[in-house]
Amino acid sequence: MAATAATTLSVGSTTSLGCKGSSISQSKAFGVKFNSKNNLRTFSGLKAATNVSCEAESSFLGKESVAVLKQSFTPKAQKENKEYGNIVQPQASYKVAILGASGGIGQPLALLVKMSPLVSELNLYDIANVKGVAADLSHCNTPSQVSDFTGAAELANCLKGANVVVIPAGVPRKPGMTRDDLFNINANIVKTLVEAVADNCPDAFLHIISNPVNSTVPIAAEVLRRKGVYDPKKLFGVTTLDVVRANTFVAQKKNLRLIDVDVPVVGGHAGITILPLLSKTKPSTTFTDEEVQELTVRIQNAGTEVVEAKAGAGSATLSMAYAAARFVESSLRALDGDSDVYECAFVQSDLSELPFFASRIKLGKDGVEALISSDLQGLTEYEQKGLDALKPELKASIEKGIGFVQKEPVAA
């Protein structure tokens, strides 16, 4: 958020996400006004303003922008001031650790997380080059304190006390490389890092980004299980990028206001296992058969689209960082007591015969509060065929991840 010396700041946003139990309920509009010389002096770089007003209808990073403001103005941060009225000081109180913070996803992700007013400590870990990233970020005048940790010897200190751990570590895809090609390298990386999480912050929300997510999440689950600390409600495969892409492509195709669009994406996070449920699009939208096929294939292959466009120079790092930051922010809001937080994620699930499945979930203080089963009801014939087709491939990827850990010793 850019700094401003203006006397008035206004922020506005609207959305339509529908869900209550099985669907998302639309948030009501809210308004906040403050009169103070100092009320937002430390919030996201804002200079003091004599009048600040915020008007929005939903949330930040995906369910629209701005509810981060609403969430920050909590009663616990409020103090009465007779001269200037209510003074609100956002209370940053959560520690986030990013493992793989100097990489192509890690750096922009760290910047976006640094901007969150809910983060008090931001710990950055990598095997090299993280000190400079931390020094650079530490100059941003947002509340969180940035610390750097390099190499295996410092990993434990990075993780102690963390509320949310994000793992983007690993090698990116290159042209001609599938997510499955990454397995042997990234499987070992994820296994090692999750062992450290189990030892140092077993109660943290654990966000897995490292590909192939369809296998690395089961790897993480198996490691945590063998360590005796597995809580399925707190382990997430970050598939938010599929939702972000679906929302963007649908809005562009149908000339809709992007902030209003929400498309649930289920299944997994690779190729045909990515299944956008276009029939469940909010707001209700009509698609031709050709549009459904075109959009589905583009959403499924969007990662390859970026890999090929970068021509060997990288994969989808910026959009992935944005999507991961959205999921981090949603997790922090849930931890902070927001009772209306919904995202799609790859989690342990009983919505199908598969042990892990991506679907819309409700997030709460303890992690996954509910799996939203209604998205899988009343599917079109095309979607049902897609669901049936993805299951064998997703099942094989899950079993590959579990089998990898079962063949490998888990560090004591």
Side-chain angles (χ1 to χ4, degrees), residues 310-394:
K310 290 190 174 183
S315 58
T317 54
L318 299 177
S319 53
M320 183 65 247
Y322 168 81
R326 162 179 161 166
F327 196 78
V328 169
E329 191 71 25
S330 291
S331 294
L332 293 173
R333 286 171 44 224
L335 284 167
D336 205 44
D338 190 332
S339 61
D340 192 31
V341 182
Y342 295 83
E343 288 284 358
C344 287
F346 186 61
V347 297
Q348 181 173 309
S349 174
D350 60 4
L351 295 185
S352 73
E353 61 272 26
L354 302 173
F356 296 90
F357 192 80
S359 68
R360 196 190 304 278
I361 61 174
K362 181 180 181 183
L363 285 165
K365 287 185 176 182
D366 296 320
V368 179
E369 283 192 352
L371 304 172
I372 309 305
S373 60
S374 62
D375 286 338
L376 295 176
Q377 298 169 4
L379 299 181
T380 66
E381 182 181 355
Y382 182 89
E383 291 166 345
Q384 187 61 54
K385 286 182 177 177
L387 181 60
D388 294 339
L390 71 82
K391 288 180 180 179
E393 182 170 324
L394 183 53

Side-chain angles (χ1 to χ4, degrees), residues 131-404:
K131 190 173 292 293
V133 176
D136 197 358
L137 276 182
S138 70
H139 295 176
C140 299
N141 62 326
T142 60
S144 55
Q145 298 297 309
V146 182
S147 301
D148 62 274
F149 302 84
T150 302
E154 297 184 9
L155 180 55
N157 286 334
C158 172
L159 292 169
K160 286 176 180 175
N163 302 107
V164 175
V165 178
V166 191
I167 303 183
V171 297
R173 280 202 298 160
K174 297 178 181 178
M177 181 184 290
T178 67
R179 286 183 173 87
D180 200 51
D181 293 331
L182 306 176
F183 180 82
N184 287 330
I185 298 173
N186 288 355
N188 275 298
I189 292 172
V190 169
K191 174 179 173 291
T192 300
L193 295 177
V194 173
E195 286 172 349
V197 171
D199 292 338
N200 295 283
C201 54
D203 294 326
F205 282 20
L206 179 54
H207 297 182
I208 304 294
I209 297 174
S210 307
N211 275 318
V213 166
N214 292 353
S215 297
T216 54
V217 170
I219 286 172
E222 194 65 18
V223 169
L224 294 169
R225 184 180 287 110
R226 294 177 70 174
K227 285 276 194 176
V229 294
Y230 179 46
D231 184 347
K233 295 181 180 180
K234 295 183 178 181
L235 174 62
F236 310 90
V238 181
T239 62
T240 319
L241 180 53
D242 300 324
V243 177
V244 166
R245 286 167 167 162
N247 292 350
T248 301
F249 299 162
V250 167
Q252 291 171 345
K253 186 73 173 177
K254 306 302 287 186
N255 196 29
L256 299 172
R257 206 168 69 126
L258 182 57
I259 206 76
D260 293 332
V261 178
D262 180 60
V263 182
V265 182
V266 303
H269 185 57
I272 67 166
T273 70
I274 300 168
L275 182 62
L277 301 181
L278 296 172
S279 68
K280 308 291 185 178
T281 297
K282 305 291 184 183
S284 182
T285 306
T286 301
F287 300 91
T288 66
D289 291 344
E290 292 75 16
E291 286 174 331
V292 168
Q293 183 172 2
E294 177 188 343
L295 284 166
T296 299
V297 170
R298 189 182 179 199
I299 293 162
Q300 290 174 339
N301 295 327
T304 301
E305 181 180 313
V306 175
V307 169
E308 292 177 349
K310 290 190 174 183
S315 58
T317 54
L318 299 177
S319 53
M320 183 65 247
Y322 168 81
R326 162 179 161 166
F327 196 78
V328 169
E329 191 71 25
S330 291
S331 294
L332 293 173
R333 286 171 44 224
L335 284 167
D336 205 44
D338 190 332
S339 61
D340 192 31
V341 182
Y342 295 83
E343 288 284 358
C344 287
F346 186 61
V347 297
Q348 181 173 309
S349 174
D350 60 4
L351 295 185
S352 73
E353 61 272 26
L354 302 173
F356 296 90
F357 192 80
S359 68
R360 196 190 304 278
I361 61 174
K362 181 180 181 183
L363 285 165
K365 287 185 176 182
D366 296 320
V368 179
E369 283 192 352
L371 304 172
I372 309 305
S373 60
S374 62
D375 286 338
L376 295 176
Q377 298 169 4
L379 299 181
T380 66
E381 182 181 355
Y382 182 89
E383 291 166 345
Q384 187 61 54
K385 286 182 177 177
L387 181 60
D388 294 339
L390 71 82
K391 288 180 180 179
E393 182 170 324
L394 183 53
K395 181 175 184 288
S397 296
I398 292 170
E399 290 175 348
K400 186 174 184 178
I402 294 173
F404 172 81

